[in-house]
Amino acid sequence: GAWSRPETCPPGQHLVSFRLRVEAPRGLWDDTAANALAAICSGGSVLEGRGGPQGTWGNWSLPCPPGAGVCGLRTRLEPPQRGGDDTGLNDVDLYCCS
């Protein structure tokens, strides 16, 4: 795939919540899994990546506590399926720090 342009919070703000757009498994068809990420900045701005249109948006994550922001992440990736259908990114956890 190709990188999209960066999306950033306004100066002095930080990410506090996110959600993913994920396509459910399609059986015999080509699966894509996570296709886009949206995030909320501490001032309320919403950032949305330019991912693919497949799938549906999940719920917003619990927001970071007041005064805290996202400082780390963990990703869940599907291992190579060899002759099967690879999806790549399947989920994301973001961690808050103050």
Side-chain angles (χ1 to χ4, degrees), residues 4 9 22 34 36 40 43-44 53 55 65-66 68 70-71 75 78 83 90:
S4 63
C9 290
V22 178
I40 298 176
V70 173
C71 62
T75 58
E78 179 182 57
N90 284 266

Side-chain angles (χ1 to χ4, degrees), residues 8-20:
T8 60
C9 290
Q13 296 183 26
H14 45 271
L15 296 180
V16 295
S17 183
F18 81 102
R19 66 182 182 164
L20 287 175

Side-chain angles (χ1 to χ4, degrees), residues 33-52:
N35 288 298
L37 183 138
I40 298 176
C41 300
S42 54
S45 300
V46 176
L47 310 176
E48 187 174 311
R50 308 273 188 262

Side-chain angles (χ1 to χ4, degrees), residues 20-74:
L20 287 175
R21 182 168 50 213
V22 178
E23 180 184 48
R26 300 180 61 203
L28 297 175
W29 301 98
D30 186 28
D31 294 325
T32 61
N35 288 298
L37 183 138
I40 298 176
C41 300
S42 54
S45 300
V46 176
L47 310 176
E48 187 174 311
R50 308 273 188 262
Q54 298 91 343
T56 56
W57 287 106
N59 294 327
W60 288 100
S61 67
L62 293 174
C64 292
V70 173
C71 62
L73 64 94
R74 176 175 72 158

Side-chain angles (χ1 to χ4, degrees), residues 79-86:
Q81 299 298 297
R82 299 188 185 214
D85 184 16
D86 294 323

